[in-house]
Amino acid sequence: MTIHVHPDILSLSPYVPGKPIEELQREFGLERVIKLASNENPLGPSPKALAVLNEGMATLHRYPDGGAFRLRQALADRWKVTPDQVILGNGSDELLGLLARTFLSPGDEAVMADHTFVIYKMEVVAAHGKAVTVPLVQWRHDVAAMAEAMTPRTKLLFLCNPNNPTGTMVSREEVARLLSQVPEHVVVVFDEAYFEYVRSADFPDSMTYVRQGRNAIVLRTFSKIYGLAGLRIGYGITTPEITNLLNRVRPPFNANSLAQLGALAALGDDEHVATSRAVNESGMDQLKSGLAALGCMPVPSEANFLYFDAGCDGRRIFEALLRQGVIVRHIEGRMVRVTVGQAEENQIFLTALARVLKTG
Ligand SMILES: *Cc1c(COP(=O)(O)O)cnc(C)c1O
């Protein structure tokens, strides 16, 4: 059957998500499967979020509040901005798509790192833009080279901070230098999905650029530390002008009613956030020393995952770990990414990796 497709769409391939636990159980007849593949919170959802979801059930026959009044107000209060500076997405993923469709004309350029969140490229190309990739240096964004990559056609700049999949961070000083060199009309996207996990005191305060009225958007999500990846809700903090533009392409009910309720409750759950951070910090130390002991030095990470060199084909390691009931992520070549889990899960992963590396 003849079908006509834009060549940009043909150049893309479908996103391959982390393997679901149930699929692996079915495939290998495994009872216990540990998933450390998608940077999810190993402690589960915020209990405060779970407690309110029942409330939302009785009104599921109604459309959600398309303006998400209460959640946007709460986020505005939290970040000292006005509600017209807050936009919600069906995950922050959706906001990346809205940004590409809003700001890119065919052939326009979006600058990003070469090893970063794969959705940027996908959304840019789907919007018929051009992804201009700048190589990382020692697994870190090269801000000087990113500034040099700007052309009159550049409309978007993606900064994934901390970067997925490497876990590395761009410092406050590096961001300041970069923004002094980037033309004002370029919309700078600070993707800070792992913000709440960052320990470094040099992490930039990207919100200040928004408050100054700079063309910038800070993306955050309820999918990571808040433990609500399945609900699909993220947000952007930006200028009133950019919110207004993005709202022209935003599907009106993109943030569903349960997601709005759950996110609002999770936002007030400081205890769950604090516990999750603490579990991540100790799990990170456990994994770092465990990996180092196996000769797999991980890259320094500010997030809830580690990126390491397996010393041999990473795909083979990934597949061998699957057979042991451990799901990680093969990124490319010898590089593998593992999410920090609970202590017991981390230990099972390290034991399985040791076995896999020994048997070759
Ligand atoms: C997980 C992640 C997101 C958030 O995705 P959601 O759509 O909010 O679930 C965004 N950016 C990066 C870099 C991520 O790793």
Side-chain angles (χ1 to χ4, degrees):
M1 200 74 80
T2 307
I3 193 164
H4 297 274
V5 182
H6 195 290
D8 287 341
I9 304 303
L10 285 177
S11 77
L12 294 167
S13 35
Y15 176 78
V16 183
K19 214 181 209 354
I21 291 175
E22 275 181 37
E23 190 181 315
L24 192 64
Q25 285 173 324
R26 263 197 317 271
E27 244 175 69
F28 295 106
L30 295 163
E31 226 167 81
R32 175 145 202 210
V33 167
I34 287 169
K35 187 182 178 206
L36 301 174
S38 302
N39 304 339
E40 296 146 344
N41 187 333
L43 298 183
S46 148
K48 287 196 175 164
L50 288 184
V52 298
L53 291 183
N54 272 332
E55 272 175 47
M57 307 271 225
T59 50
L60 278 177
H61 59 305
R62 304 284 179 203
Y63 279 97
D65 172 8
F69 179 81
R70 289 172 67 201
L71 180 56
R72 283 198 305 121
Q73 182 68 56
L75 286 166
D77 291 347
R78 165 70 60 103
W79 300 113
K80 309 271 182 288
V81 294
T82 50
D84 65 349
Q85 294 184 268
V86 182
I87 185 162
L88 300 179
N90 188 263
S92 49
D93 271 7
E94 187 191 32
L95 296 170
L96 296 167
L98 298 186
L99 284 160
R101 279 194 279 154
T102 303
F103 293 108
L104 300 177
S105 297
D108 277 349
E109 294 169 2
V111 171
M112 64 191 75
D114 63 344
H115 289 82
T116 190
F117 196 43
V118 293
I119 307 294
Y120 307 151
K121 190 171 191 174
M122 179 179 125
E123 294 293 357
V124 165
V125 173
H128 310 301
K130 208 178 130 202
V132 175
T133 56
V134 176
L136 297 176
V137 173
Q138 291 183 324
W139 306 117
R140 301 182 65 251
H141 279 72
D142 182 348
V143 290
M146 290 183 104
E148 276 167 29
M150 298 289 135
T151 76
R153 295 220 67 170
T154 309
K155 301 291 160 66
L156 291 171
L157 168 62
F158 290 97
L159 265 189
C160 190
N161 203 22
N163 188 40
N164 181 4
T166 59
T168 52
M169 180 193 94
V170 180
S171 71
R172 178 180 304 129
E173 194 205 324
E174 287 172 309
V175 167
R177 201 175 338 129
L178 177 62
L179 265 76
S180 71
Q181 292 166 335
V182 168
E184 277 187 358
H185 68 268
V186 172
V187 177
V188 181
V189 182
F190 293 97
D191 183 354
E192 299 181 345
Y194 303 96
F195 171 79
E196 297 84 358
Y197 287 108
V198 173
R199 291 198 253 185
S200 168
D202 292 329
F203 194 76
D205 179 9
S206 50
M207 295 278 182
T208 56
Y209 295 103
V210 171
R211 292 191 202 100
Q212 287 163 10
R214 188 75 204 220
N215 285 328
I217 182 165
V218 181
L219 301 181
R220 303 267 171 87
T221 182
F222 288 95
S223 296
K224 304 291 155 64
I225 208 163
Y226 292 101
L228 299 175
L231 268 188
R232 309 306 302 129
I233 184 140
Y235 62 97
I237 304 289
T238 184
T239 63
E241 187 189 5
I242 292 178
T243 347
N244 179 288
L245 294 169
L246 294 173
N247 272 328
R248 297 172 196 219
V249 293
R250 179 178 66 84
F253 305 114
N254 62 332
N256 72 71
S257 43
L258 293 181
Q260 290 185 34
L261 267 179
L264 184 64
L267 190 64
D269 195 347
D270 295 336
E271 193 186 328
H272 185 65
V273 171
T275 313
S276 303
R277 255 178 83 97
V279 167
N280 188 62
E281 286 183 19
S282 59
M284 180 72 86
D285 292 344
Q286 178 191 5
L287 280 182
K288 268 200 294 206
S289 47
L291 284 169
L294 293 171
C296 300
M297 255 338 254
V299 172
S301 169
E302 289 291 334
N304 66 341
F305 54 86
L306 282 167
Y307 188 60
F308 65 93
D309 184 340
C312 57
D313 181 22
R315 169 148 296 276
R316 210 171 48 75
I317 296 295
F318 162 76
E319 281 164 4
L321 284 172
L322 280 186
R323 287 191 288 273
Q324 311 258 345
V326 178
I327 317 175
V328 296
R329 201 73 188 250
H330 173 234
I331 303 296
E332 60 151 28
R334 310 195 321 196
M335 304 307 289
V336 173
R337 190 192 70 194
V338 60
T339 302
V340 177
Q342 299 205 54
E344 191 197 358
E345 299 173 305
N346 298 333
Q347 192 48 57
I348 291 172
F349 156 75
L350 289 169
T351 307
L353 181 63
R355 199 176 306 140
V356 161
L357 289 171
K358 195 155 62 189
T359 54

